[in-house]
Every structure is written in structure tokens, then in C-alpha cells.
Amino acid sequence: MERSTQRIARPESCRLSQPARDENDEESTDRHVLLECLGALWAAGVAVDWKRASDQLEPFGTRRRLPLPTYSFDGHRCWPDDQPAGLTLPRQPGERERHREAVFTYAQTWTEKMLPRAAPGGGSAKALRWLVLADRPFGEAERAEDMLANSITRQLEDAGHEVVRVCRRAKPSNSSVKIKGSTIFIDPTREGLKAFFDAEIASVRPADRILCLWHLSGTADPCEDPGMVQTHLLRSYDAILDLARVLSTLALQTPVDLWIVGDKSVQVDEEPVDPEKACVFGPAIVLPQENPMVDCRVVDLNIDDPNIGYQLGAEIGRDVPGADAIVALRGNRRWGPHFSEVALASQISGRETLRSKGVYLITAALGRIGLSLTEYLVSLGATVVAITRPSVPDHLSSGRADLDEDGWTRRLAALDGSKGQVVLRQGDVSDFDSLSGALDSTVREFGRIDGIFHAAGLADLKFLSEMKDTTSAGEFASKLVGISNVYRAIQRLQSTHGQSPEFVFLFSSLASILGGPAMAAHAAANRFMDAFARQVQGKLGVRWINSNWDDWDYSYDEQVTAAYRTRQAEDLALSSDEGINIIKRILATIDNGQVIVATRPFPPRVRQWVDQVRIITPDEQPDEQNRSPPEEVRTGKDEVLRHGDPRSIFLDEVKNLLGAEEIGLDDNFFDVGGDSLLAAELQAHLTKSDRWRSPQLDEIIGAATFGDLYERICSGDHSSR
Ligand SMILES: NC(=O)c1ccc[n+]([C@@H]2O[C@H](COP(=O)([O-])OP(=O)(O)OC[C@H]3O[C@@H](n4cnc5c(N)ncnc54)[C@H](OP(=O)(O)O)[C@@H]3O)[C@@H](O)[C@H]2O)c1
């Protein structure tokens, strides 16, 4: 046992004293003792190889993943009831008690931020190893994103960094990773990505920084119908999710900075936004929460902006990355999300926004919020058409409920004497026909729909490492597909009945902004809704109101509640009466747009959980003494070409073209198999690079050696072109 614990803790020399073992105690299993030893070592500051620890612990018992309440990381104390005496969890900085019934409401806008200063003298204080994840090797520039990748590579290399381009192949091949000069080709699968990163962290010098430009672009047809989910745009989400799933499991020894670059995935101004692209924020925000060794930031830009390469270079090229986790670059301006408080109007008697004779349709009306809302509206005298996935028993579809049954049927039955009525309709919001049919039959039966509350949602919480390929689809069905179907169903209602509801009220979550462990897909789905609500503002003559909620005070799964429910969670959450009251006030205040509803001040929570405020250890301080100026690298030994050296890149172009690894700067073009056709091809290849001027054909043919050709095209006025 002792040997086993020492193998999985570093340093090897650490002495271990095991807690006394009581044979009669059920808890005194080998696994338990081993865990205690590891915990003691870890608390004493010893680095534990947790992966190996979990591998070795597996034979001693099955690991259990305990589901936690949502936002468990945020001020909720989650600990089993039988917590060891005397153990208290320290309060997080910025964590606050909720003042009685305090509610904070915000709108999200964008505020202009300072532009970063370019690195002094064009050089960087510390030479870093960068991975640029782009679809094409350096030099190729078919699309705007290739040009951006090339521009960034040049800037980083000019600043003295080593840059490795990582390209995904079109299809998997026999070897999942293939290196060609400073380009690494990997399989376009998660396995390919994993094989690459495993090799990367095992290497002598793993990457310090990663820039992800994969699937950067992709624009919707401007007249595209918002009701149609543009699945091709979800490729960006898939790419980032794969990356996050792989990086979340890596046992990194030193932190790595990751920038994910998006193209118009947020709406800074009145520009159009494609909600599908906004989904990348889910995994991007959650990744550092699940693996704090990865600092992840999102830089959103407009790829068509001239000079965007230099803007991006200044953003990512700082010696110490900025604290903002999310920035948007537009033209010469830099923006960050901002949360300004909005005051909600009080309800004025006689001017209620929810009418006693109103007709309201609620998707997921038997969910927790849906049922509270149904009860309120029916007690008000309204008609609620309650859409629910499970099949509706006959005696309920007319609104009658059997008093002997439990749960929602009991609660609906209790409404029997109310002024209003509830009508149950079976329907799945991800199925357009069933949803559209429900809207249609409501109008036929009751003459109109005053408002739709879209409360369908699925919180299938899975850590990135546990996610399956189907996890996101489940989350997306209710929100992403669901809200698109609501839009289309209203379109159809307009064409068949010539009418539409006054408002659509969407229930999104704070997870779309704060993320949260195990919430990558959930945050992505809610982020989609947030962007969708912006995209459709003012469309179809409907008020589109989107609300992002903090926790409501509902019991979580029964057995979890018993063990984990704490007074603090209850204190922090909104009661359903509070929630319903806020819904009414939102409807009375907001015409169109988004409201964030939080039970504690929100901006400090964003800073705490989203903005990456890295603590810079002395090791990470830019070290002027060790500064290696780019010139030093370039004037090093001619024979040893450093990875990333422009001559090495030049030679790689030649090697790739001629298919021979052994070619050196002293070789002659014709001696290594060149001919006039290949000379023309080489000319075309070299012309794509900005590092040197384009060679004339006769220069390639006439040069004594490749070194000679390189000197020629880099010399004279053109050399710094
Ligand atoms: N409660 C909170 O604290 C909180 C906080 C922030 C945001 N929200 C959001 O508010 C909304 C309501 O929350 P809640 O707590 O009431 O959730 P809930 O109790 O989990 O209810 C969600 C309901 O959505 C239904 N649903 C899922 N997929 C559906 C589909 N494709 N078609 C029709 N119905 C579907 C589920 O029906 P089945 O029973 O058939 O699965 C379930 O009844 C959710 O969107 C949630 O994300 C809630």
C-alpha cells in the first residue's frame, strides 16, 4: 500500500505516514486509507498524479460521480450530510450572502476597452512555443482565415516565438499525426487531437500558447430564415467542443493559454449574428473551470476587417495575456461585455401584462417553472395550453385531473376550482409538426394566443470528459431546435390564421454567461437562445423577451436533495413567487431584448468565474535577463536551422514540393530532381509567402544553390515586403 501511494505522489522521496487503521470500521478499506494518505499529501503541497491515482484506485471500488445542484461552484455549499466534524469550506472572495429577497437585474451591452500596446520593439520578452490551429499549412492562403493564420504566424515568428501550425487532414489516415517541417497534420477526429496533445505534453517543450482558428468562418445566407437551424455553422461548436473535451483531460504540468477566435459570433453593434456560432462560448467558458491549467479566452472579430491580423496579433501577442476572457475586435476598436443594471417597473394595478382572460401557451408546462407559471396563470383566470412531452391521460387532456394521483396531476387537480383552465397537449418542441399543431389547435379552440412561454429545457449535466457525442444534441433539442421551431410555428400561424402572439418569453440561464462545471452543452444551448433572441428582435411583430435566470428554489433530484440541500442554497435561490413576480415585471418593462436575473451582484461573479485573472508566479514573470531577441535566433549557426526559422520554412517549401527530406541549402535545384515544371510550381508556392519577394522563374533555375536563391529573394528592397 505504501509503495503504491508513493508511486502516484511526487516527489518520490516524500515520506508517508498512514492514518491508523481500524479493522472494525467499515470505512477502513484499503481504498479509503489510500485516499486519506493522498489527501494528506496533496494538502501538504505534494503534486499528486491524479490520473494514475484514479487508475490504481479503480480496483478497490467503483468511483461515483455525484450530481451537484446547478451553480454548485457559485456560493452553494455542496457537501454530504455526514461531513467530517470541524470541516468548513472557506467562503470564496466576492461570494456574498443574499440579502432578503434581493434581486439584481441587468442588460448585457458591449463597452469599449483599451487597445493593447504592441510588444515593445516588435520583440517579446520571452520566446514561447505557439500552436496555431488552422486548416491549412503556412503559405497557403485561399481564404480569409488562411491569410489571418499566416499573418499571425509571421508576427509571432518576428517577435522571436516558435510557431507550429496544426492542420486537420480532410480524412483520417494510417498515422494519426504527421510532421512536415513546422506543420503538423493530424486526423480530423477527437482521437487524432488526443494523440497529438498527448505527444505534445510528453515532449521536451510543450506549447505555452495555443491559437485556435479552426472553422473560423462560415456565414449565413443573409436572407436565411431564423427558424432554420444552420447545421453547417455548428461545425465551429463541434470543433471547439472536441478541443475542450481533449484539453479537459490533459495532465498539464504548466498552464497553457488558449485563444479561440470567432467570426461575428457576438453582436457588438447592430450587425447580424448567427446564433449557431455563439454556441462555442459554452465549451470555451467551461473548459478552464474544469481544467484550471487551461486559460481560455475568446476573441471575436470580423474576418473581413482590413488589418484584423494586426489587431489579433496585438491582442494575443502580449507577454502577459490580458484578464478579459471575452473580447470583440471591430475595426480599430476593442470591446468587452458589460452588465448594466436595469430597473424593472412595478406592476400597476389595472395595467397587468398577463391578462385574466388571456390565452397562454407554455412549453414544458409540467417542468418546475412551467408548473408554477401554469398555477399562477390559471389562478388569474387565464387559459393555459400546457405542452408536455409525456402522453397525456385522456381524463387530463380536457383539463380534469384525478385527485388520487401524485405530483403534477395533484397540483393540476388543485386548480379545478380556479377561475382559469389548463389544457394539456402532448408535444415535443423539437418536433415542428407537433409544436405547430399545438399552436394551430389553440387558435382554433380559443381564438388566439396572447403569449408563449418557452420553458422547455434539459440540464443533462456532464463534465467535458464524460460527454458523449449525443450529449449536445439532447441539450440542443429543447432550446436550439425548440426555439427555432417556435419561430417557424408562429410564421405558419401567421400564414394560416393571420395572427401571432403578442410576446414570446424565453427562459435562458446564467450558465450561458457564467458557464459552470459540467455545463458546456447546457451553456452552449442557452447561449444560442440568447443570440437567437437578439437575431429575431422585432421580427414577426412579436415581442421577443429573453431572460437569464439564477437558481429558482426547487428541490433537485430527491436523493440528491436529501444529502446535499443546504440552508445556503435555499437562502440564495429565488422562490417561485419571487420568480413569477419578476416575470410580470419584465413583461411590464421590456419591449424586446434580454434581462439577466441574479440573486447577487452579477459583475463580480463574471470576473470571478469567467475572466481569467491569472496569478503570475515568479517563474512566469517576463524575464529581461533571459530575453532572447529574435535577431539572436536568426544569426545563429547557419547549419542548424531552428524550428520556425524562415530559412527552415523556405527549405520546407522546397522539400514538400520535391518530396525529399534530405535537401539542404547547399543543394542545387536540378541536382535534387528539379525540372522546369517543378520550378514553376516552386515559384507559385514561394509567391504565396510574405516572408520573401516572389522569385522570378529564371532566378530559381539560375541559382547555384537553394541558399543562393533564398539570399536573393530576401535581399534588396523587397526583403521586408
Ligand atoms: N429552475 C431553475 O433554477 C432555472 C435556472 C435557470 C434557467 N432555467 C431554465 O428555465 C427553464 C425551465 O426550468 P425548470 O427548472 O422548470 O426545468 P425542468 O423542471 O427541468 O423542466 C424542463 C422541462 O422541459 C421539458 N422538455 C425537455 N425537452 C423538451 C422537449 N424537446 N419538448 C418539450 N418539453 C421538453 C422536460 O420535459 P420531460 O419531463 O418530458 O423531460 C421538463 O418538463 C429551462 O429552460 C431552464 O434551463 C431554470
Side-chain angles (χ1 to χ4, degrees), residues 177-245:
V177 174
K178 195 168 171 195
I179 303 173
K180 267 192 185 175
S182 59
T183 304
I184 298 180
F185 294 89
I186 66 169
D187 276 356
T189 57
R190 204 167 46 258
E191 291 69 33
L193 205 52
K194 175 95 175 79
F196 165 69
F197 275 110
D198 282 344
E200 184 65 24
I201 59 169
S203 70
V204 189
R205 185 159 179 221
D208 305 287
R209 295 186 179 180
I210 304 170
L211 177 69
C212 181
L213 303 167
W214 274 334
H215 299 308
L216 180 58
S217 72
T219 322
D221 183 339
C223 59
E224 196 97 48
D225 186 345
M228 300 302 292
V229 176
Q230 301 169 90
T231 41
H232 65 287
L233 294 184
L234 286 174
R235 281 186 318 147
S236 333
Y237 170 74
D238 291 336
I240 302 309
L241 183 65
D242 277 351
L243 184 65
R245 285 171 70 182

Side-chain angles (χ1 to χ4, degrees), residues 151-178:
S151 160
I152 288 295
T153 303
R154 264 191 313 277
Q155 291 176 61
L156 293 173
E157 286 181 352
D158 289 349
H161 301 301
E162 175 187 351
V163 183
V164 175
R165 180 73 67 95
V166 185
C167 304
R168 307 216 300 185
R169 293 195 194 96
K171 322 190 269 239
S173 83
N174 290 341
S175 62
S176 58
V177 174
K178 195 168 171 195

Side-chain angles (χ1 to χ4, degrees), residues 236-536:
S236 333
Y237 170 74
D238 291 336
I240 302 309
L241 183 65
D242 277 351
L243 184 65
R245 285 171 70 182
V246 168
L247 291 179
S248 73
T249 58
L250 285 191
L252 295 160
Q253 298 300 317
T254 50
V256 64
D257 289 292
L258 164 67
W259 281 267
I260 290 169
V261 179
D263 177 29
K264 297 183 282 278
S265 55
V266 296
Q267 189 180 36
V268 175
D269 214 341
E270 292 306 307
E271 68 227 338
V273 62
D274 297 320
E276 291 82 356
K277 291 184 181 176
C279 293
V280 298
F281 285 93
I285 293 170
V286 171
L287 172 60
Q289 293 168 348
E290 292 193 19
N291 185 353
M293 294 298 275
V294 184
D295 259 352
C296 183
R297 296 170 178 79
V298 179
V299 185
D300 188 70
L301 43 81
N302 177 350
I303 198 145
D304 300 321
D305 272 351
N307 291 331
I308 197 61
Y310 292 101
Q311 300 267 12
L312 180 61
E315 182 65 37
I316 66 170
R318 292 185 267 188
D319 288 333
V320 179
D324 303 312
I326 298 169
V327 295
L329 305 176
R330 298 286 187 272
N332 288 326
R333 302 170 82 178
R334 181 172 182 268
W335 302 87
H338 177 71
F339 301 92
S340 47
E341 276 196 68
V342 288
L344 295 182
S346 308
Q347 279 282 292
I348 300 169
S349 180
R351 286 180 51 199
E352 283 82 10
T353 43
L354 294 171
R355 290 190 278 277
S356 61
K357 296 279 177 243
V359 179
Y360 300 99
L361 187 138
I362 304 180
T363 68
L366 302 183
R368 292 169 295 188
I369 293 180
L371 200 47
S372 298
L373 197 54
T374 300
E375 287 171 328
Y376 169 73
L377 289 168
V378 172
S379 68
L380 197 69
T383 295
V384 172
V385 177
I387 311 263
T388 176
R389 272 199 299 187
S391 63
V392 181
D394 283 348
H395 63 288
L396 290 178
S397 54
S398 61
R400 291 185 40 76
D402 185 341
L403 278 171
D404 293 337
E405 291 183 51
D406 268 344
W408 56 266
T409 50
R410 183 178 288 278
R411 285 175 65 180
L412 291 188
L415 295 174
D416 257 0
S418 307
K419 289 184 269 175
Q421 60 173 333
V422 53
V423 179
L424 291 169
R425 291 270 182 273
Q426 189 187 359
D428 185 325
V429 296
S430 63
D431 172 6
F432 172 70
D433 289 333
S434 77
L435 183 69
S436 179
L439 265 69
D440 183 71
S441 63
T442 304
V443 172
R444 281 180 201 284
E445 208 170 327
F446 303 105
R448 65 182 199 281
I449 300 173
D450 292 302
I452 296 178
F453 292 94
H454 182 51
L458 181 78
D460 181 15
L461 304 189
K462 293 264 185 308
F463 288 92
L464 284 161
S465 56
E466 290 176 330
M467 283 178 75
K468 306 260 178 301
D469 291 340
T470 50
T471 306
S472 301
E475 286 279 354
F476 287 4
S478 54
K479 303 237 166 178
L480 190 146
V481 182
I483 185 57
S484 308
N485 281 344
V486 168
Y487 184 92
R488 286 170 60 209
I490 294 173
Q491 269 181 324
R492 180 179 282 184
L493 198 65
Q494 284 187 334
S495 63
T496 51
H497 296 277
Q499 59 164 277
S500 45
E502 181 206 328
F503 66 81
V504 175
F505 193 102
L506 307 176
F507 287 90
S508 178
S509 163
L510 289 193
S512 76
I513 303 159
L514 293 179
M519 292 199 189
H522 185 64
N526 283 291
R527 195 86 189 194
F528 176 92
M529 283 222 314
D530 297 355
F532 186 92
R534 278 175 181 266
Q535 187 197 31
V536 297

